[in-house]
Amino acid sequence: MTVGSMERPTGDIACTSQLKRYGQFIEDLQNRLRRTEESMEIVDRSYIVQCQSIPTESASLSELVRSGNDVIDKTLVVLASLCSEVDALKAEAECKFYPALLAYGEDVQGYLTQEGGALRLIGQMLPCLQELSVFINRCYEVCRNVVLQMASLFSNQ
């Protein structure tokens, strides 16, 4: 027999042995997990606590921007502030206005079958529409400010 032919059966035996050991390890782990689950009997699930850890930045924008040039620093702070304002407006739109606008016109309570039901649905939506109008005006102001700031970067003054 050559050296190569002797290694192959030995390698197969080693692989088979490792697979058996791995299979035994998985079985032992499953048994331990099953015993642990059985020993943990939760009577009242109201004691379960969920924690959310959302990282927050404690540094202000003015502390983060330091190029040595005051004009560039101020410009970057303004643009970064506008970007964070756009992010906040986007989050507000997604959380507050998208669901309300998607549900508008859905007659869950059966108002449309009653006399004046359409007016009642519109009346219930009016406060939300007023808030939406204020929100849209704020979006226009922020967009206008972004365009003006970007235009001032490229002006020849």
Side-chain angles (χ1 to χ4, degrees):
M1 280 179 146
T2 63
V3 175
S5 64
M6 288 180 64
E7 288 179 11
R8 184 168 180 88
T10 307
D12 287 345
I13 293 171
C15 285
T16 306
S17 172
Q18 287 295 335
L19 283 174
K20 285 181 183 177
R21 288 180 58 203
Y22 182 69
Q24 185 62 38
F25 171 75
I26 294 296
E27 287 178 24
D28 290 344
L29 190 63
Q30 286 177 338
N31 290 334
R32 270 195 251 159
L33 181 61
R34 191 173 301 114
R35 283 188 301 242
T36 303
E37 286 176 346
E38 290 171 357
S39 68
M40 293 176 51
E41 184 177 326
I42 299 176
V43 177
D44 189 6
R45 293 199 180 268
S46 65
Y47 294 118
I48 296 175
V49 176
Q50 179 182 4
C51 296
Q52 276 189 326
S53 177
I54 300 171
T56 57
E57 184 66 46
S58 62
S60 68
L61 290 173
S62 59
E63 293 172 352
L64 295 174
V65 178
R66 296 194 187 206
S67 69
N69 185 337
D70 288 339
V71 175
I72 291 177
D73 288 350
K74 290 176 184 178
T75 304
L76 288 176
V77 168
V78 168
L79 291 174
S81 298
L82 287 171
C83 286
S84 64
E85 178 74 18
V86 168
D87 286 340
L89 289 171
K90 178 183 173 263
E92 184 179 354
E94 288 175 345
C95 294
K96 191 174 186 179
F97 297 112
Y98 289 178
L101 292 173
L102 285 173
Y104 179 70
E106 296 294 324
D107 190 21
V108 177
Q109 297 155 341
Y111 290 143
L112 292 178
T113 59
Q114 302 169 3
E115 186 177 336
L119 294 175
R120 190 170 186 182
L121 284 175
I122 292 171
Q124 288 177 343
M125 190 66 175
L126 280 178
C128 182
L129 292 174
Q130 178 62 37
E131 290 178 25
L132 181 62
S133 174
V134 171
F135 176 78
I136 290 171
N137 287 336
R138 179 67 184 144
C139 289
Y140 281 136
E141 290 173 9
V142 171
C143 288
R144 181 179 180 274
N145 199 350
V146 168
V147 169
L148 289 174
Q149 293 297 327
M150 295 298 284
S152 69
L153 285 175
F154 297 107
S155 67
N156 292 331
Q157 297 179 3

